[in-house]
Amino acid sequence: MRDLLPALKRWYAAGVPFGLATVVATSRSAPRGPGAAMAVGPDDEVVGSVSGGCVEGAVFELAQEVVADGEPRLETFGYSDEDAFAVGLTCGGEITLLVRPVTADLDPSFGALADSVAAGEPVTVATVTDGPAPRGASLAVWPDRVLGSLGTEGLDAAVAADARGELALGATGLRHYGPHGERREDAVAVFLHSFAPPPRMLVFGAIDYAAAVARIGDFLGYRVTVCDARPVFATPKRFPEGVEVVVDWPHRYLQSTGTDGRTVICVLTHDPKFDVPLLQEALRRPAAYIGAMGSRRTHDDRMRRLEEAGLTPAELSRLRSPVGLDLGARTPEEVAVSVAAEIVALRWGGTGAPLTVTAGAIHTSP
């Protein structure tokens, strides 16, 4: 959705109706997760993707139809046993899409929602997908306000409370309620799509490897900060545009910086006077990934120093060192791919093994 925003905001501001298709549920090896979106606007302009090409043709037609008749649709696409070349997902998965028309009259909260997402402000949009409530009705929920309605005051209140909880986790998915927000009923299906600020990647050590890691981190959607105590190396011109560069002692900067369960920390200094105090701080705070660069000898020395500093075995077990997967990487760019691969594998529970030697679903459920 973030990638679609420039076009959607332009159409919405111009008062031009467009069809918006959003993945609201998946099963098995679906190629795109909940929240993936595709829109069809004026002059048949298409932005986004919901399946990587498998069903986009059919979704294009559905989007045109909902704009023409004003009626949202809930459609499921899956693999066809009778004809693998029919409209469906040849990967064997299944996706359910909500396809709805969007205009200022039908969705008065969309403009404010789009502005918040573009500005990096946390917001969740709740949309009715099925049940005895207006399909396509939406409620935008911020930490301090709401805009729109799902049809009843009770449903709005229950969904708003849950949406704020999901927003704190950055979670997206279907929830079920009674017609008036009853939590133990499942008559009404509501899709909660959270737009939390991008997760952070903190890269310590402004070396050539850091520039490559920062570049791939930015590509993966992280908000990247590079920190180094040496001003001669920590200069913005050495790093991609949009990457924050900070001159400070790494451990001191981390002490003054918030982290959460999505934060990635890459320690590339491989100098004890920098990385030991930094890792003492990092391994005792929330983070999704903490990796440190260095040789086997550097790793052994680092672990000894950290043990002497009082870190527990449980804290030390969080450290990914030497950083990255075994790809035989040599160049900074190859090492960055190795680091990114380890981050992705850890996030989704991947093994890092070649898919040719594994079995079962390729895309596992989060």
Side-chain angles (χ1 to χ4, degrees), residues 203-235:
V203 181
F204 294 97
I207 60 176
D208 48 359
Y209 290 94
V213 170
R215 188 176 302 112
I216 203 166
D218 179 68
F219 175 76
L220 291 175
Y222 288 93
R223 181 164 65 92
V224 182
T225 298
V226 175
C227 175
D228 197 301
R230 302 163 295 181
V232 67
F233 295 113
T235 60

Side-chain angles (χ1 to χ4, degrees), residues 80-280:
S80 169
D81 292 326
E82 293 77 21
D83 183 1
F85 297 98
V87 172
L89 300 176
T90 56
C91 61
E94 184 176 277
I95 60 173
T96 299
L97 304 174
L98 175 67
V99 189
R100 64 187 181 99
V102 178
T103 66
D105 291 335
L106 293 171
D107 191 349
S109 66
F110 186 86
L113 167 72
D115 288 341
S116 288
V117 175
E121 298 171 354
V123 60
T124 293
V125 58
T127 309
V128 174
T129 65
D130 205 6
R135 178 175 289 162
S138 64
L139 178 73
V141 182
W142 290 264
D144 59 349
R145 68 189 192 280
V146 300
L147 185 61
S149 177
L150 304 180
T152 68
E153 184 177 339
L155 184 58
D156 288 348
V159 170
D162 289 346
R164 290 189 173 109
E166 298 290 84
L167 185 58
L169 299 173
T172 287
L174 278 174
R175 300 290 291 266
H176 294 84
Y177 306 87
H180 299 281
E182 299 89 343
R183 295 183 182 278
R184 295 193 178 186
E185 298 184 23
D186 60 1
V188 180
V190 179
F191 181 64
L192 302 181
H193 191 175
S194 296
F195 294 94
R200 299 196 67 188
M201 173 181 279
L202 306 177
V203 181
F204 294 97
I207 60 176
D208 48 359
Y209 290 94
V213 170
R215 188 176 302 112
I216 203 166
D218 179 68
F219 175 76
L220 291 175
Y222 288 93
R223 181 164 65 92
V224 182
T225 298
V226 175
C227 175
D228 197 301
R230 302 163 295 181
V232 67
F233 295 113
T235 60
K237 67 181 181 181
R238 300 185 66 232
F239 297 93
E241 183 179 357
V243 170
E244 179 186 28
V245 179
V246 174
V247 179
D248 200 351
W249 278 79
H251 74 281
R252 186 168 61 192
Y253 174 73
L254 185 57
Q255 288 170 348
S256 65
T257 300
T259 64
D260 60 26
R262 302 183 301 153
T263 303
V264 166
I265 299 174
C266 298
V267 179
L268 310 182
T269 51
H270 53 80
D271 183 332
K273 70 175 179 291
F274 290 124
D275 60 17
V276 171
L278 171 60
L279 287 169
Q280 282 183 258

Side-chain angles (χ1 to χ4, degrees), residues 35-95:
M38 169 180 158
V40 178
D43 300 321
D44 294 338
E45 181 180 354
V46 178
V47 292
S49 172
V50 292
S51 73
C54 299
V55 301
E56 269 67 9
V59 175
F60 175 81
E61 295 179 0
L62 277 172
Q64 290 181 314
E65 291 173 9
V66 301
V67 169
D69 62 27
E71 294 296 327
R73 312 279 182 85
L74 191 68
E75 296 284 344
T76 297
F77 296 95
Y79 182 78
S80 169
D81 292 326
E82 293 77 21
D83 183 1
F85 297 98
V87 172
L89 300 176
T90 56
C91 61
E94 184 176 277
I95 60 173

